[in-house]
Amino acid sequence: MNKREGEGCPRRNADAAQDRNASANPSSPVIAAFKVFQQELDTKHDKHERLVKISRDVTIESKRTIFLLHRVTSVPNADDILKEADGKLDAVRQKIGQIAEELRGEDIFQFHRAFTAGIQEYVEAVSFLHYIRHRSLISLEEINARLVFIREEKVDPKDSDEALPGGQVLTFQVTPSDYLLGVADLTGELMRMCISSVGNGDIDTPFQLSQFLRQIHDGFSYIGNTGPYEVSKKLHTLRQSLGKVEDACYALRVRGSEIPKHMLADVFSSRTTLIDPEEGVV
């Protein structure tokens, strides 16, 4: 019995060595298949990293646009600020065009987490600008209508040094979840705008913002548990912003004549909004 086992060991060792040699052979179909897998994964990883970098640039420029728009409450003529904000958002849209180029022919949801933060920040900035101009909420369709890009491809003719441009249309579609999350972040900027307006002696804007924020809150309440998970977390912040604005409007309505204009901004910082933390989860 032991002799038979001893005789079988060299045979098994030889088979194992043969398998190792086959696996180390570059012409092996297994090695060739895994090289293809490696190339596909490396390509996907590189694309993911590029999208993260572009998304970071979109986030930074969108935040700068929001900071710029907050100055409209402290200047007599806001047209110059709005024009500058338009220019900044045009530059942001060009960055989103690079995202659309990277996603050409790809499944957008495979790379969605790489750029969703930037798109949400862009939605927040463009909706803030739209509200300042029109006192209304921009729709998802209006946002997507501005995200159509034409990429020129130069084709060199044979007998000419000039390049003939050939246009290719690229589109980027903001997802409903990114739109909702961007609008939820907008409420915080509207609350800060309300504070700035009161500090500058404007007592009409807080009441307009209060009514607008109530409409947004009602819309998110209708969504309930059917929306993205992140919406339920941001709903708590939305309620806090709405509560601060409503408290300030109440104080302005009841005691507005007693408070000097230069002290109106203290109404927001001194009052505390009492909201049940569990209300943030719907």
Side-chain angles (χ1 to χ4, degrees):
M1 189 71 179
N2 294 335
K3 185 177 181 181
R4 289 181 181 178
E5 290 179 356
E7 291 176 352
C9 289
R11 186 179 298 112
R12 287 196 298 269
N13 293 336
D15 293 341
Q18 185 177 359
D19 292 340
R20 285 196 299 270
N21 293 333
S23 63
N25 186 4
S27 60
S28 170
V30 177
I31 295 297
F34 272 90
K35 284 185 177 180
V36 173
F37 301 153
Q38 178 186 8
Q39 187 176 6
E40 291 178 356
L41 292 174
D42 288 343
T43 302
K44 182 179 179 181
H45 177 74
D46 293 341
K47 186 183 293 291
H48 183 276
E49 291 301 316
R50 291 195 298 271
L51 288 171
V52 169
K53 183 178 179 181
I54 299 173
S55 176
R56 191 179 299 117
D57 294 339
V58 170
T59 301
I60 293 173
E61 292 302 322
S62 298
K63 285 183 179 295
R64 288 174 178 171
T65 304
I66 292 172
F67 296 153
L68 172 66
L69 289 172
H70 276 297
R71 290 168 50 194
V72 298
T73 58
S74 59
V75 295
N77 187 6
D79 291 339
D80 293 338
I81 293 179
L82 297 180
K83 288 180 181 179
E84 185 178 351
D86 280 330
K88 286 182 175 293
L89 287 179
D90 285 338
V92 173
R93 278 188 278 270
Q94 294 304 314
K95 293 287 185 180
I96 297 178
Q98 297 179 17
I99 296 178
E101 233 175 304
E102 292 286 350
L103 295 175
R104 185 193 307 177
E106 300 284 354
D107 182 6
I108 183 175
F109 293 102
Q110 284 190 358
F111 302 94
H112 183 249
R113 291 179 63 88
F115 59 84
T116 179
I119 298 303
Q120 291 176 32
E121 200 70 32
Y122 167 74
V123 171
E124 182 181 356
V126 73
S127 58
F128 192 27
L129 174 61
H130 187 273
Y131 177 80
I132 293 173
R133 275 192 171 138
H134 306 288
R135 288 299 189 263
S136 62
L137 180 64
I138 191 171
S139 66
L140 177 59
E141 291 74 17
E142 290 176 288
I143 293 178
N144 286 332
R146 302 291 301 273
L147 299 179
V148 179
F149 313 97
I150 298 179
R151 291 289 183 260
E152 293 186 353
E153 297 181 357
K154 294 183 178 180
V155 180
D156 295 327
K158 294 181 180 179
D159 300 328
S160 176
D161 295 332
E162 297 180 358
L164 299 179
Q168 184 177 11
V169 178
L170 292 176
T171 60
F172 182 88
Q173 298 292 310
V174 176
T175 62
S177 61
D178 287 341
Y179 172 74
L180 290 175
L181 295 173
V183 171
D185 291 334
L186 169 67
T187 58
E189 303 304 330
L190 294 178
M191 186 268 293
R192 295 180 184 91
M193 179 182 179
C194 184
I195 296 176
S196 301
S197 300
V198 173
N200 294 322
D202 182 5
I203 61 175
D204 295 327
T205 298
F207 294 96
Q208 298 175 1
L209 290 171
S210 176
Q211 183 178 2
F212 183 68
L213 287 175
R214 277 194 215 101
Q215 294 174 351
I216 294 180
H217 177 266
D218 292 343
F220 275 96
S221 299
Y222 290 142
I223 296 175
N225 292 328
T226 61
Y229 170 70
E230 293 86 353
V231 170
S232 62
K233 296 191 296 184
K234 293 194 175 185
L235 185 58
H236 177 58
T237 304
L238 192 159
R239 285 172 174 164
Q240 284 184 322
S241 300
L242 176 59
K244 290 178 181 179
V245 174
E246 287 182 336
D247 278 358
C249 290
Y250 172 79
L252 290 173
R253 182 69 72 187
V254 175
R255 300 178 53 207
S257 59
E258 303 174 3
I259 305 175
K261 284 189 175 182
H262 66 278
M263 297 178 61
L264 287 176
D266 296 335
V267 174
F268 290 87
S269 58
S270 62
R271 295 180 67 89
T272 307
T273 304
L274 298 177
I275 300 179
D276 186 0
E278 294 182 356
E279 290 182 359
V281 181
V282 184

